[in-house]
Coordinates of all heavy atoms in Angstrom, one line a residue:
K1 N 0.8 -1.2 0.0 CA 0.0 0.0 0.0 C 0.9 1.3 0.0 O 2.0 1.3 0.5 CB -0.9 0.0 1.2 CG -1.8 -1.1 1.4 CD -3.0 -1.0 0.5 CE -4.1 -2.0 0.7 NZ -3.9 -3.4 0.5
K2 N 0.3 2.3 -0.5 CA 0.9 3.7 -0.4 C 0.5 4.2 1.0 O -0.6 4.2 1.4 CB 0.4 4.6 -1.5 CG 0.9 4.3 -2.8 CD 0.4 5.3 -3.8 CE 0.8 5.0 -5.2 NZ 0.3 5.9 -6.2
V3 N 1.6 4.7 1.7 CA 1.3 5.2 3.0 C 2.0 6.6 3.2 O 3.2 6.7 2.9 CB 1.9 4.3 4.1 CG1 1.7 4.8 5.5 CG2 1.3 2.9 4.0
A4 N 1.2 7.6 3.5 CA 1.8 8.9 3.7 C 2.3 9.0 5.2 O 1.6 8.7 6.1 CB 0.7 10.0 3.5
I5 N 3.6 9.4 5.3 CA 4.2 9.5 6.6 C 4.9 10.8 6.8 O 5.6 11.3 5.9 CB 5.3 8.4 6.7 CG1 4.6 7.0 6.6 CG2 6.1 8.5 8.0 CD1 5.5 5.8 6.6
Q6 N 4.7 11.4 7.9 CA 5.3 12.7 8.2 C 6.8 12.5 8.4 O 7.2 11.6 9.1 CB 4.7 13.3 9.5 CG 5.4 14.7 9.8 CD 4.7 15.3 11.0 OE1 3.5 15.7 10.8 NE2 5.3 15.4 12.1
K7 N 7.6 13.4 7.8 CA 9.1 13.3 7.9 C 9.5 13.4 9.3 O 9.0 14.2 10.1 CB 9.7 14.5 7.1 CG 9.5 14.4 5.6 CD 9.9 15.7 5.0 CE 9.5 15.7 3.5 NZ 9.6 17.1 2.9
N8 N 10.4 12.5 9.7 CA 11.0 12.4 11.1 C 10.0 12.2 12.1 O 10.2 12.5 13.3 CB 11.8 13.7 11.4 CG 13.0 13.8 10.6 OD1 13.7 12.8 10.4 ND2 13.3 15.0 10.1
D9 N 8.9 11.5 11.8 CA 7.8 11.3 12.8 C 8.2 10.2 13.8 O 8.7 9.1 13.3 CB 6.5 10.9 12.1 CG 5.4 10.9 13.1 OD1 5.1 9.8 13.7 OD2 4.7 11.9 13.2
L10 N 8.1 10.4 15.0 CA 8.5 9.4 16.1 C 7.7 8.1 15.9 O 8.2 7.0 16.2 CB 8.3 10.0 17.4 CG 8.8 9.2 18.6 CD1 10.3 9.1 18.5 CD2 8.4 9.9 19.9
Y11 N 6.5 8.2 15.5 CA 5.7 7.0 15.3 C 6.2 6.1 14.2 O 5.9 4.9 14.1 CB 4.2 7.3 15.1 CG 3.6 8.1 16.2 CD1 3.0 9.3 16.0 CD2 3.7 7.7 17.5 CE1 2.5 10.1 17.0 CE2 3.2 8.5 18.6 CZ 2.6 9.6 18.3 OH 2.1 10.4 19.3
Y12 N 6.9 6.7 13.3 CA 7.5 5.9 12.2 C 9.0 5.6 12.5 O 9.4 4.4 12.5 CB 7.4 6.6 10.9 CG 8.0 5.8 9.7 CD1 7.4 4.7 9.3 CD2 9.3 6.2 9.2 CE1 8.0 3.9 8.2 CE2 9.8 5.4 8.2 CZ 9.2 4.3 7.7 OH 9.8 3.6 6.7
E13 N 9.7 6.6 12.9 CA 11.2 6.5 13.1 C 11.6 6.0 14.5 O 12.7 5.5 14.6 CB 11.9 7.8 12.9 CG 11.7 8.4 11.5 CD 12.5 7.8 10.4 OE1 13.5 7.0 10.8 OE2 12.3 8.0 9.2
G14 N 10.8 6.1 15.5 CA 11.1 5.8 16.9 C 11.5 4.4 17.2 O 11.3 3.5 16.4
E15 N 12.0 4.2 18.4 CA 12.4 2.9 18.8 C 11.3 1.8 18.7 O 11.6 0.7 18.5 CB 12.9 3.0 20.3 CG 14.1 4.0 20.4 CD 14.2 4.6 21.8 OE1 14.2 3.8 22.8 OE2 14.4 5.8 21.9
F16 N 10.1 2.2 18.9 CA 9.0 1.3 18.8 C 8.1 1.7 17.6 O 6.9 1.4 17.6 CB 8.2 1.3 20.1 CG 9.0 0.9 21.2 CD1 9.5 1.8 22.1 CD2 9.3 -0.5 21.5 CE1 10.3 1.5 23.2 CE2 10.1 -0.8 22.6 CZ 10.6 0.2 23.4
G17 N 8.7 2.4 16.6 CA 7.9 2.9 15.5 C 7.5 1.9 14.4 O 8.0 0.8 14.4
L18 N 6.7 2.4 13.5 CA 6.2 1.5 12.4 C 7.3 1.0 11.5 O 7.2 -0.1 11.1 CB 5.2 2.4 11.6 CG 4.5 1.6 10.4 CD1 3.7 0.4 10.9 CD2 3.6 2.6 9.6
K19 N 8.4 1.8 11.3 CA 9.5 1.4 10.5 C 10.0 0.0 10.9 O 10.2 -0.9 10.1 CB 10.6 2.4 10.4 CG 11.7 2.1 9.6 CD 12.7 3.3 9.6 CE 13.9 3.0 8.7 NZ 14.9 4.1 8.7
K20 N 10.3 -0.1 12.2 CA 10.9 -1.3 12.8 C 9.9 -2.5 12.7 O 10.3 -3.6 12.4 CB 11.3 -1.1 14.2 CG 12.4 -0.1 14.4 CD 13.2 -0.4 15.6 CE 14.3 0.7 15.8 NZ 15.4 0.7 15.1
L21 N 8.6 -2.2 12.9 CA 7.6 -3.3 12.7 C 7.5 -3.8 11.3 O 7.5 -5.0 11.1 CB 6.3 -2.8 13.2 CG 6.1 -2.6 14.7 CD1 4.8 -1.9 15.0 CD2 6.2 -3.9 15.4
L22 N 7.6 -2.9 10.4 CA 7.5 -3.3 8.9 C 8.7 -4.1 8.6 O 8.6 -5.1 7.9 CB 7.4 -2.0 8.0 CG 6.1 -1.2 8.2 CD1 6.2 0.1 7.4 CD2 4.9 -2.0 7.8
E23 N 9.9 -3.7 9.0 CA 11.1 -4.4 8.7 C 11.0 -5.8 9.3 O 11.4 -6.8 8.7 CB 12.3 -3.7 9.2 CG 12.6 -2.4 8.5 CD 13.7 -1.6 9.1 OE1 14.2 -1.9 10.2 OE2 14.1 -0.5 8.5
H24 N 10.6 -5.9 10.6 CA 10.5 -7.2 11.3 C 9.6 -8.2 10.6 O 9.9 -9.4 10.5 CB 10.0 -6.9 12.7 CG 9.9 -8.2 13.5 ND1 11.0 -8.8 14.0 CD2 8.8 -8.9 13.9 CE1 10.6 -9.9 14.7 NE2 9.3 -10.0 14.6
F25 N 8.5 -7.7 10.1 CA 7.5 -8.6 9.4 C 7.7 -8.6 7.9 O 6.9 -9.2 7.2 CB 6.1 -8.2 9.8 CG 5.7 -8.4 11.2 CD1 5.7 -7.4 12.1 CD2 5.5 -9.7 11.7 CE1 5.4 -7.6 13.4 CE2 5.2 -10.0 13.0 CZ 5.1 -8.9 13.9
N26 N 8.8 -8.0 7.4 CA 9.1 -7.9 6.0 C 7.9 -7.4 5.1 O 7.5 -8.0 4.1 CB 9.5 -9.3 5.5 CG 10.2 -9.2 4.1 OD1 10.9 -8.2 3.8 ND2 10.1 -10.2 3.3
I27 N 7.3 -6.3 5.6 CA 6.2 -5.7 4.9 C 6.7 -4.5 4.1 O 7.4 -3.6 4.6 CB 5.1 -5.2 5.9 CG1 4.6 -6.4 6.7 CG2 4.0 -4.4 5.2 CD1 3.7 -6.0 7.9

C-alpha cells in the first residue's frame, strides 16, 4: 500500500515505530 508518513515522525522512526515493525515482518 501507499502510506503517507510525516518526515521524522516518532511513530515511524522511533524505537517502537512503524518502520521497525514493517522491517521485522518484511512488509
Side-chain angles (χ1 to χ4, degrees):
K1 302 282 190 292
K2 288 183 182 179
V3 180
I5 297 175
Q6 180 173 292
K7 296 172 188 164
N8 289 320
D9 190 273
L10 188 63
Y11 302 125
Y12 180 73
E13 300 284 346
E15 297 156 48
F16 301 99
L18 182 61
K19 181 178 181 179
K20 294 208 188 283
L21 290 171
L22 295 173
E23 289 171 358
H24 179 76
F25 291 105
N26 198 28
I27 299 169

